[in-house]
Amino acid sequence: MGSIRRAVPPVLLACLLLAGCSSGSLSDSERSGKNGSPPAGPSGAAAPTGSAGQEIAVGAGPQTTYTVQQQPPAGSCHYRYENGEPLEDTKCTPGAISPAVTQANLKSTICRKGGYTGDIRPPESVTRKEKVLNAASYGYTGRLRDAEYDHLISLQLGGDPNDYRNLWVEPADPGHKPGVGVNNKKDPVETKLHTAVCNGKVPLAAAQHAIVTDWTTALSSLGLG
């Protein structure tokens, strides 16, 4: 007696002929959204974009107790210079914003009377240790007292207080006399941006984007100087 052949169901046959059925795994666009866009930030709002059009990271925000944050490996970060002024390594220090500061609550946070930053700034006992570690990350060998452990997006612009992505050892300006302490041109830029944001001349996200892209051109890029 000959063998009995069973017919292959039409649906299964069509699947085989089309080089196999889907494994059920999601594509990259399905993982990130139908249009391939990155996930939204806090409360469903997209975070502001930084250099190269990438979103600025959102940090943990103000903490009751701060701890020393791990820094990039020693020697892995490299300064850039524009007209002699030091700029951060965008891979090591891309910036990070605080979820506690938004365009909607400026009056109760960074623009409130009496100040805001003093209440959320990490203590020196934490930042002193981080500064030493970050100096090694950047290969900084100058006097630490002449370098500022700087928030790339300043606290007065809604920068995260202690996210390692928002902090870097900023060398002194060219021509700075060694041993006389911190002195750089980035601080006045931050103050002018803060004033513009609080006066409603510039949106918060635009100011954050400008300072992350290049602090030396932040004011001119926003028509402020």
Side-chain angles (χ1 to χ4, degrees), residues 2 5 23 41 45 53 56 59-60 72 82 86 101 106-107 132-133 136 138 147 150 166-167 179-180 195 200 212 221:
R5 297 183 179 179
S23 63
I56 300 177
E82 291 289 342
V101 179
L106 293 178
K107 290 185 179 180
V132 172
L133 294 172
Y138 272 89
D150 175 67
N166 196 44
L167 284 155
V180 298
T195 299
V212 163
S221 69

Side-chain angles (χ1 to χ4, degrees), residues 62 98 100-120 153-161 190-191 193-199 202-205 207-208:
S98 169
V101 179
T102 67
Q103 185 68 39
N105 69 8
L106 293 178
K107 290 185 179 180
S108 62
T109 55
I110 62 174
C111 300
R112 76 185 182 200
K113 293 182 179 180
Y116 168 76
T117 63
D119 296 335
I120 65 167
I153 303 173
S154 66
L155 297 183
Q156 62 181 337
L157 290 175
D160 193 85
E190 296 168 347
T191 300
L193 288 175
H194 173 260
T195 299
V197 169
C198 291
N199 288 342
V202 174
L204 175 64
Q208 293 171 337

Side-chain angles (χ1 to χ4, degrees), residues 124-146:
E124 186 180 355
S125 59
V126 170
T127 58
R128 183 174 59 249
K129 295 176 182 178
E130 292 177 344
K131 185 177 183 179
V132 172
L133 294 172
N134 190 267
S137 300
Y138 272 89
Y140 177 81
T141 57
R143 294 171 182 253
L144 279 179
R145 63 172 296 187
D146 288 334

Side-chain angles (χ1 to χ4, degrees), residues 18-42:
L18 290 174
C21 296
S22 169
S23 63
S25 61
L26 297 177
S27 65
D28 290 339
S29 61
E30 290 173 322
R31 292 190 188 97
S32 58
K34 290 183 179 180
N35 60 358
S37 60

